């Protein structure tokens, strides 16, 4: 069963809302940061987000690729370059780390240089997120056998495949 894009978004939002109600505290609501919104096609154009104190990076993304009928299509393809040769597959539900170039000028009112963004565009104008191969995040290398050799690869920056994780949700209050 393949879900349509609006159904995927509804399920994702519902799961996030349920987890907030089940595990969150009411005081956290005032501390929640924004995350990038996709365009009407589900594409993300930047991994930078404007906050109340300037711009910041969205470093962690969740792989939400829908399950298909074939087990070989169960992972999200990660490529050597945007729309290039397959390098690895990332398991559904994995958290991946975005890779930004240079030193983004953050916490200013001016937008960061797009050349430093973790999202890049291929020759067709489709956005791709640059991620780093980390053993506890990426799985099933196609060419290299060890995770140390995996390096950077690119996944399609579309809500059908990935969703930004709010950086505030990664800060745990250990009382």
């Amino acid at each position: 069963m393949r879900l349509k894009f609006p159904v995927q978004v509804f399920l994702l939002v519902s799961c996030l809302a349920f987890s907030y109600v089940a595990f969150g505290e009411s005081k956290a609501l005032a501390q929640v940061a924004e995350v990038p919104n996709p365009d009407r096609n589900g594409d993300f154009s930047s991994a930078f987000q404007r906050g109340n104190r300037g711009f910041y990076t969205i470093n962690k993304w969740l792989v939400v690729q829908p399950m298909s009928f074939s087990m070989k299509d169960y992972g999200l393809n990660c490529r050597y370059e945007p729309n290039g040769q397959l390098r690895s597959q990332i398991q559904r539900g994995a958290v991946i780390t975005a890779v930004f170039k240079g030193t983004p000028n953050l916490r200013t009112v001016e937008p960061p240089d797009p050349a430093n963004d973790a999202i890049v565009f291929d020759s067709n104008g489709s956005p791709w997120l640059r991620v780093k191969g980390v053993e506890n995040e990426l799985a099933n290398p196609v060419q290299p056998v060890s995770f140390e050799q995996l390096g950077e690869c690119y996944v399609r920056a579309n809500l059908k495949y990935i969703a930004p994780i709010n950086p505030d949700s990664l800060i745990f209050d250990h009382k």
Side-chain angles (χ1 to χ4, degrees), residues 34-39 42-50 55-61 98-100 104 106 110-121 125-130 156-158 162-165:
E34 294 288 323
V35 292
N37 289 317
D39 65 14
D43 288 334
F44 294 99
S45 60
S46 179
F48 291 120
Q49 181 64 39
R50 182 188 300 270
F55 284 85
Y56 57 94
T57 58
I58 302 298
N59 295 313
K60 300 293 183 178
W61 296 72
V99 175
F100 294 82
L106 302 175
E110 295 298 319
D113 184 351
N116 294 331
D117 204 330
I119 292 182
V120 299
F121 295 87
S126 298
W128 293 79
L129 179 68
R130 183 184 312 111
R156 188 69 171 76
N158 186 285
I162 60 173
I165 297 177

Side-chain angles (χ1 to χ4, degrees), residues 18-118:
F18 173 77
S19 64
Y20 175 77
V21 170
F23 304 110
E25 295 181 19
S26 61
K27 71 176 188 170
L29 186 60
Q31 299 172 354
V32 173
E34 294 288 323
V35 292
N37 289 317
D39 65 14
R40 63 182 177 84
N41 296 322
D43 288 334
F44 294 99
S45 60
S46 179
F48 291 120
Q49 181 64 39
R50 182 188 300 270
N52 60 358
R53 286 182 249 147
F55 284 85
Y56 57 94
T57 58
I58 302 298
N59 295 313
K60 300 293 183 178
W61 296 72
L62 176 66
V63 175
V64 295
Q65 178 179 5
M67 294 174 62
S68 65
F69 295 108
S70 170
M71 283 305 287
K72 75 178 185 80
D73 295 330
Y74 185 62
L76 176 60
N77 291 333
C78 200
R79 301 179 180 280
Y80 281 98
E81 59 188 39
N83 211 17
Q85 181 183 2
L86 181 63
R87 185 169 199 165
S88 65
Q89 287 191 315
I90 306 169
Q91 295 175 352
R92 184 174 187 268
V95 175
I96 54 178
T97 301
V99 175
F100 294 82
K101 293 295 184 184
T103 306
N105 185 18
L106 302 175
R107 305 234 186 249
T108 67
V109 293
E110 295 298 319
D113 184 351
N116 294 331
D117 204 330

Side-chain angles (χ1 to χ4, degrees), residues 133-141 144-151:
V134 179
E135 185 169 358
N136 62 351
E137 292 179 354
L138 300 186
N140 305 324
V145 177
S146 72
F147 284 97
E148 293 78 27
Q149 297 172 335
L150 193 54

